Amino acid sequence: MANLNVNIPALKLNDGTSIPLVGYGTGTAWFKPNAGGGTDRKLIDAIKSAIKLGYYHLDGAEVYNTEEEIGIAIKESKVSREKLFVTTKVITNIKDIPSAIDTSLKKLQLDYVDLYLIHSPFFASSESDLQSAWAAMERVKAEGKAKSIGVSNYFMPHLVATMKTATVTPSINQIEYHPYLQHGGPNGPLLAYMRKHNIANSAYGPLTAVTKAKPGPCDAAYAELAKKYYVSEGEIALRWCIDQDVVAITTSSKEERLSDYLRAMTFKLNPKENYPWGKKGKESLAATLCAKTPNTGFQIEDNKEYAEMWMGDYPVLPAKDLKTGEELHKIVDENKEQLLGSSGMKKFGGVVPFLPKILSIAKALPLQIHPDKELSDRLHKKDPKKFTDSNHKPEIAIALGPFEVFAGWKHQNDIQALFSVLPPLERFLPEQHAQFNNETLKQICQRILTASDEEIATTQNELARIPREKYGKQAYILDLLPRLQDQYSKEDPGNLVTLLTMNFLSLSAGDAIYVPADAPHAYLSGDIVECMARSNNVLNTGFCPRADRDSIELFTAALTFSPHNTEQVKLGRRTTEKSKNGKTSEYAPPMSEFNMLKTSLKEGEKETIRAIAGPSVLFATSGSGKLMADGQTHDINEGYIFFVGQGTEVGYEASSGLEVYQAYAE
């Protein structure tokens, strides 16, 4: 048994009620075919065990014939009613819902249920049947016999019919939901309709892919993730629901298994597991370099996307000592003054203040911003599982080859030119826009991001039919539009926000950009060195499924409107006083957390980097040679990564063309 003391997270429904995201179900294995068979003591004890473990959400139904057991278990558990969230459903006595709820409450020994559902729509022979039943449900809520009301097994036509006369929107629709039955996915008609009307999704059968449906195409992914997180495949299945804010209903007669399921509350499936935008197999420089890092055992799979290689002390994915396996943040924590220096400890709080990465990009990353310190602090306090720190995240990106990126805003004149001559864009203009300024731009972004899928697709179809000469110097929009549509969809609002309002840059090796906090950006293609302040906070609103998008209101409210042309986005290189032999240049973004050195050596050339009064992380992206530090000599080849403590001079001697990047703070 896991023996965990964790709280199951809750989801706020459209009526303000909070429902635990995992519920203990009393159907399936506990189902009794008739009501006259007496009470099931095993079920009563199982429910009591579930309650003891913290499963306060109990899911029943009149047709299960288990309401009496739920009532007895609640009474015997002696847990306060306020802690519990009790759901039951009506179908057997659907023609007399007032009597049905009274009967259920009597069996449950309760004055009210937290959630009352119509179990199935298939009793109805007409829309009016659905509407009459829902009107009766609304009366149940009005009388205080149910705090929330909803439906189960409803498809879109059933919801549409119900909503025609509803005065109370269903708070939830409980449906079978798992990777093999996603009802068309987040953008499919059912889930899109539910999202539009703020109807929550509750899943029965969430473990189907790891129980009844084996073998199946998800087997390898479940096994890999279970191994990574040291949990069972069932816990991965539950977490898959939780991370989508889908209420998962599960059950077991075994207390040990229920206890283990609670581990699903202790981790979050990282979207970086297998970014769909990463390059595949050996085409990915991130994967190639990682495979060449000694002692990792990393092997490249040809058909798998590899997007990022991290090289910092951030606890989500920390670097490790290759000899001992100890995580870098622990090494730093135990040797702060020696590795960071007293000034570094005072300035940066005892951590390495930056996070370098290699990114290999095959298609657009999500349209995103990284929140500033004030917003990050608020978000972290509100949702520390999603926003895992309170820091800001300005960043730089250095091209290792051809690199395409959307970053910052176009000049206002260029944006205004498009919206003045392209009629399809008029629908996104605010009513009062005599002056085209940053407030106008913010409202345009918000209108695009909140537009319906149909409106987004229609606009793009109309834009594609406009003659090229109408776009003037921005005719590249017509070239990029089908490419973005193919990568995500014609309904993705990111297509319009990036093409119409943001700078598009096509950079070469050595070119760099700086992205401040709250500035929109979306990397499109290429291999890059990325370095950022030590944070992992992000708000996404485009180039990703709707389920992965964050609050549009929050995103647009946080936007900063600098930079406002391509030259302001670019970050130049300069000579550096850190170099003794003149073989190193420096990228110095306007922030305090880090600078980046780039050393380029031909065969036989040498360089020395003067001691830095703070920590460094250096890594070779190509070539081979020797690294000298603290009187020791080490091999340095592409893929090798070194952490360098403060006050340490570093020397290089190249045996073949050697390129090294060194992020540092002081």
Side-chain angles (χ1 to χ4, degrees):
M1 268 175 55
N3 292 320
L4 295 174
N5 182 20
V6 298
N7 294 319
I8 294 173
L11 174 71
K12 185 166 286 190
L13 300 176
N14 58 22
D15 59 7
T17 302
S18 292
I19 181 173
L21 274 163
V22 179
Y24 183 79
T26 61
T28 320
W30 299 112
F31 175 85
K32 294 191 299 183
N34 60 74
T39 55
D40 183 345
R41 189 66 224 181
K42 287 185 178 179
L43 173 56
I44 294 169
D45 291 339
I47 296 171
K48 289 170 64 179
S49 294
I51 293 172
K52 183 177 70 174
L53 289 169
Y55 290 86
Y56 297 132
H57 177 184
L58 307 175
D59 183 271
E62 65 172 8
V63 75
Y64 299 161
N65 292 311
T66 56
E67 290 173 318
E68 288 187 14
E69 284 83 352
I70 295 173
I72 294 169
I74 290 172
K75 189 173 183 179
E76 292 183 2
S77 72
K78 297 181 180 178
V79 173
S80 67
R81 176 66 182 92
E82 291 72 24
K83 272 192 173 184
L84 297 170
F85 189 100
V86 180
T87 300
T88 195
K89 313 175 192 75
V90 57
I91 192 62
T92 307
N93 297 300
I94 191 69
K95 293 187 182 297
D96 190 0
I97 289 176
S99 295
I101 183 63
D102 288 341
T103 300
S104 290
L105 290 175
K106 184 176 180 181
K107 291 179 179 179
L108 292 164
Q109 302 183 58
L110 299 175
D111 296 325
Y112 66 91
V113 291
D114 298 273
L115 179 61
Y116 196 41
L117 306 179
I118 295 178
H119 206 153
S120 166
F122 302 113
F123 69 91
S125 57
S126 65
E127 286 192 355
S128 63
D129 288 343
L130 292 169
Q131 293 161 0
S132 296
W134 188 250
M137 294 288 285
E138 291 180 346
R139 288 192 291 274
V140 169
K141 178 178 172 64
E143 292 169 359
K145 295 178 181 179
K147 286 190 172 182
S148 300
I149 53 176
V151 295
S152 181
N153 295 302
Y154 272 43
F155 297 138
M156 186 173 166
H158 306 123
L159 290 173
V160 171
T162 299
M163 288 292 288
K164 285 180 181 178
T165 59
T167 60
V168 176
T169 300
S171 60
I172 205 164
N173 184 17
Q174 189 180 109
I175 54 179
E176 184 177 0
Y177 186 78
H178 47 77
Y180 298 151
L181 183 56
Q182 298 187 51
H183 303 274
N187 294 321
L190 176 61
L191 298 187
Y193 185 87
M194 289 166 58
R195 186 170 57 250
K196 179 180 179 181
H197 293 280
N198 200 16
I199 301 170
N201 182 6
S202 178
Y204 66 82
L207 306 188
T208 297
V210 297
T211 54
K212 299 176 183 177
K214 280 197 167 190
C218 289
D219 290 356
Y222 273 114
E224 181 180 344
L225 291 171
K227 182 178 180 181
K228 173 176 179 176
Y229 290 103
Y230 301 99
V231 297
S232 71
E233 293 180 9
E235 289 148 54
I236 296 296
L238 287 176
R239 189 70 222 187
W240 182 79
C241 287
I242 293 168
D243 284 344
Q244 299 178 72
D245 282 340
V246 174
V247 179
I249 306 300
T250 189
T251 193
S252 177
S253 60
K254 298 178 179 178
E255 184 175 351
E256 181 177 359
R257 183 170 296 168
L258 287 175
S259 176
D260 289 346
Y261 284 164
L262 292 175
R263 287 186 300 210
M265 316 307 143
T266 65
F267 68 96
K268 184 173 183 177
L269 290 175
N270 191 342
K272 300 175 186 62
E273 304 299 347
N274 195 17
Y275 276 134
W277 51 261
K279 292 185 178 181
K280 281 191 174 182
K282 294 182 177 65
E283 294 178 0
S284 168
L285 180 64
T288 301
L289 293 177
C290 188
K292 293 182 178 181
T293 304
N295 303 332
T296 63
F298 176 73
Q299 294 182 334
I300 300 174
E301 298 175 28
D302 289 339
N303 292 319
K304 185 173 180 179
E305 295 95 350
Y306 296 97
E308 297 189 347
M309 181 171 76
W310 290 30
M311 294 172 282
D313 73 339
Y314 197 81
V316 169
L317 204 62
K320 297 179 181 179
D321 185 312
L322 292 182
K323 291 182 179 179
T324 67
E326 189 174 4
E327 294 178 352
L328 178 58
H329 67 95
K330 294 180 180 178
I331 296 173
V332 171
D333 192 54
E334 293 169 1
N335 303 274
K336 289 180 182 178
E337 188 159 359
Q338 177 186 354
L339 297 178
L340 304 181
S342 56
S343 62
M345 288 174 60
K346 184 177 180 181
K347 189 174 182 180
F348 300 116
V351 297
V352 179
F354 52 81
L355 176 59
K357 303 178 183 179
I358 299 291
L359 269 62
S360 291
I361 306 152
K363 68 176 188 178
L365 277 71
L367 171 60
Q368 60 189 254
I369 63 170
H370 301 303
D372 58 42
K373 284 186 177 181
E374 181 182 351
L375 179 56
S376 289
D377 187 54
R378 294 204 317 265
L379 294 174
H380 177 63
K381 288 176 180 176
K382 184 178 180 180
D383 188 358
K385 290 184 178 179
K386 180 174 181 179
F387 301 97
T388 51
D389 58 75
S390 58
N391 199 16
H392 67 166
K393 191 182 176 184
E395 64 186 37
I396 66 171
I398 305 169
L400 295 172
F403 172 43
E404 296 176 305
V405 57
F406 294 106
W409 306 101
K410 296 179 180 181
H411 193 282
Q412 285 182 358
N413 292 343
D414 292 334
I415 301 171
Q416 187 170 7
L418 291 175
F419 281 81
S420 298
V421 301
L422 302 179
L425 303 184
E426 291 178 2
R427 56 172 60 96
F428 301 121
L429 285 169
E431 293 179 6
Q432 303 295 328
H433 60 280
Q435 276 192 317
F436 199 98
N437 53 28
N438 288 337
E439 182 58 32
T440 311
L441 181 53
K442 177 185 287 190
Q443 291 184 49
I444 287 172
C445 289
Q446 188 158 22
R447 284 170 175 246
I448 293 173
L449 292 170
T450 55
S452 67
D453 290 351
E454 181 181 5
E455 197 172 9
I456 294 294
T458 298
T459 302
Q460 291 176 65
N461 289 335
E462 294 170 349
L463 290 173
R465 291 194 290 267
I466 294 175
R468 192 176 187 88
E469 56 268 20
K470 286 282 189 181
Y471 288 84
K473 66 180 182 180
Q474 301 182 70
Y476 68 86
I477 290 172
L478 293 175
D479 301 321
L480 288 174
L481 182 58
R483 180 175 161 194
L484 295 176
Q485 291 172 343
D486 184 60
Q487 289 184 3
Y488 289 95
S489 75
K490 196 175 285 188
E491 291 77 24
D492 196 306
N495 300 342
L496 295 179
V497 173
T498 54
L499 290 173
L500 301 175
T501 70
M502 293 174 62
N503 298 306
F504 172 67
L505 296 90
S506 185
L507 305 178
S508 302
D511 293 339
I513 62 169
Y514 169 65
V515 181
D518 298 332
H521 58 288
Y523 299 158
L524 187 54
S525 71
D527 294 307
I528 63 172
V529 170
E530 184 184 50
C531 194
M532 60 200 62
R534 189 181 188 272
S535 175
N536 197 33
N537 294 329
V538 63
L539 294 170
N540 298 322
T541 58
F543 297 152
C544 58
R546 280 192 178 274
D548 295 341
R549 297 176 197 168
D550 292 294
S551 163
I552 294 168
E553 183 179 0
L554 183 63
F555 180 90
T556 53
L559 286 172
T560 186
F561 292 94
S562 177
H564 231 312
N565 60 54
T566 55
E567 293 308 309
Q568 291 177 5
V569 174
K570 293 177 182 177
L571 177 66
R573 251 192 301 175
R574 68 188 188 192
T575 58
T576 176
E577 61 182 15
K578 305 296 183 189
S579 167
K580 284 190 175 182
N581 300 344
K583 303 295 183 181
T584 300
S585 54
E586 184 165 11
Y587 300 89
M591 52 185 290
S592 62
E593 281 85 352
F594 67 87
N595 282 5
M596 180 73 74
L597 303 177
K598 179 185 178 184
T599 300
S600 299
L601 300 176
K602 297 176 183 178
E603 182 179 348
E605 289 186 333
K606 298 179 181 180
E607 172 66 297
T608 299
I609 305 299
R610 292 185 171 90
I612 294 171
S616 301
V617 173
L618 65 86
F619 48 96
T621 56
S622 62
S624 61
K626 299 293 183 181
L627 180 151
M628 290 71 71
D630 275 348
Q632 299 182 32
T633 300
H634 307 270
D635 290 330
I636 180 168
N637 304 318
E638 61 181 67
Y640 283 37
I641 307 164
F642 293 85
F643 176 80
V644 182
Q646 59 87 25
T648 305
E649 186 173 272
V650 177
Y652 304 109
E653 182 174 352
S655 53
S656 64
L658 180 64
E659 190 162 271
V660 179
Y661 289 85
Q662 183 172 353
Y664 76 89
E666 64 178 0

